[in-house]
Amino acid sequence: MASSPDVPSADNTPENPGSGSLSETPETTGATGGVQRRGRVRGRRAAVMAVPATLAVAGLAVLTAQGALGVQLYISGMPFTVTAKSLDGTGFEQFGGLDTMADGSPNAGDTGGQVLVVTSAIKKATLDSLCQSVDLGGTNLLIKAGSGKTKVEATDLTTDSTLLTGDASFNNIEIGNDASTLTKAGVKGPIGVFSQQADTVHIDNLRQTNYKTTAGTFTLPGLKLSFSDSGC
């Protein structure tokens, strides 16, 4: 949480999804007759392979590789916001890549069907006052949990993000690993991709813009789902 180049803005949503791999992307001819989309996706591939080290030092924006759990999940193309007062995690990894939308999605934009994301993988996480919201156009679907004595807990948690901010601290951090050699959260990325990992992570004032979240288990005490004029 969460997601680590030319990261798409909130106005740029994916279109015309490919296979989701970093090696195959459909070639599309633009209005001028030139191959446009393929060039953009090639640029994203290069960005995944060469994440600036300064972002890794900050510990909040190292890009991810596709499919942290090794399962192809097509994203809806609708980003959602996640916030928490704090997150404590044991077994932390980050590395960079692309998420892909399903063919024919009405949320397709002009990005070639792929979104450059930051995946954060945490073996065991605890979150204080979790809030998640999705803008549905005129209203927000709002989910809140863990604001009481019992906090939200998750195992094998991964988030694919385009924005991750907060005040972070790490224990025994390793920066610059090859993503295929990661060991802290049980997730491995593609060979040759820049990554980082740590024994533990603590983040205060967590805020993420996510496209996908997966977890082995997710416990949400005090769960409340509602519609709201404002999001998280």
Side-chain angles (χ1 to χ4, degrees):
M1 272 173 206
S3 53
S4 229
D6 182 16
V7 178
S9 67
D11 294 330
N12 290 334
T13 53
E15 70 172 2
N16 302 328
S19 66
S21 72
L22 299 181
S23 60
E24 294 184 8
T25 302
E27 184 174 304
T28 304
T29 302
T32 61
V35 178
Q36 297 176 342
R37 188 170 301 148
R38 185 172 184 176
R40 288 197 298 270
V41 175
R42 279 177 175 170
R44 294 190 191 97
R45 291 175 183 157
V48 169
M49 302 297 290
V51 180
T54 53
L55 297 183
V57 172
L60 293 175
V62 180
L63 295 180
T64 86
Q66 172 211 336
L69 296 180
V71 177
Q72 179 62 57
L73 299 176
Y74 289 104
I75 61 173
S76 70
M78 297 178 64
F80 55 97
T81 299
V82 172
T83 65
K85 287 183 178 179
S86 65
L87 176 149
D88 286 285
T90 301
F92 172 79
E93 300 172 358
Q94 283 184 327
F95 54 98
L98 302 169
D99 277 352
T100 303
M101 288 184 62
D103 189 22
S105 171
N107 298 319
D110 61 357
T111 61
Q114 294 177 314
V115 178
L116 191 59
V117 292
V118 179
T119 290
S120 301
I122 303 176
K123 190 65 177 176
K124 183 177 181 180
T126 302
L127 299 100
D128 183 1
S129 302
L130 175 70
C131 179
Q132 176 180 301
S133 62
V134 183
D135 187 350
L136 301 178
T139 190
N140 292 271
L141 177 61
L142 194 65
I143 297 174
K144 293 186 176 182
S147 59
K149 183 177 180 181
T150 306
K151 307 306 178 186
V152 170
E153 293 186 350
T155 61
D156 298 320
L157 176 69
T158 67
T159 57
D160 287 4
S161 314
T162 55
L163 174 70
L164 194 165
T165 63
D167 303 311
S169 60
F170 303 88
N171 182 41
N172 292 331
I173 190 168
E174 302 170 2
I175 299 171
N177 308 61
D178 187 295
S180 68
T181 67
L182 296 175
T183 60
K184 302 295 185 179
V187 175
K188 295 184 184 296
I191 190 169
V193 171
F194 188 97
S195 68
Q196 69 176 7
Q197 65 178 358
D199 287 347
T200 64
V201 58
H202 176 84
I203 303 177
D204 288 321
N205 305 312
L206 173 68
R207 186 174 189 87
Q208 294 177 293
T209 300
N210 292 344
Y211 276 87
K212 181 173 69 179
T213 296
T214 65
T217 62
F218 214 160
T219 304
L220 300 168
L223 174 65
K224 180 181 179 181
L225 185 152
S226 62
F227 291 98
S228 173
D229 292 336
S230 59
C232 297

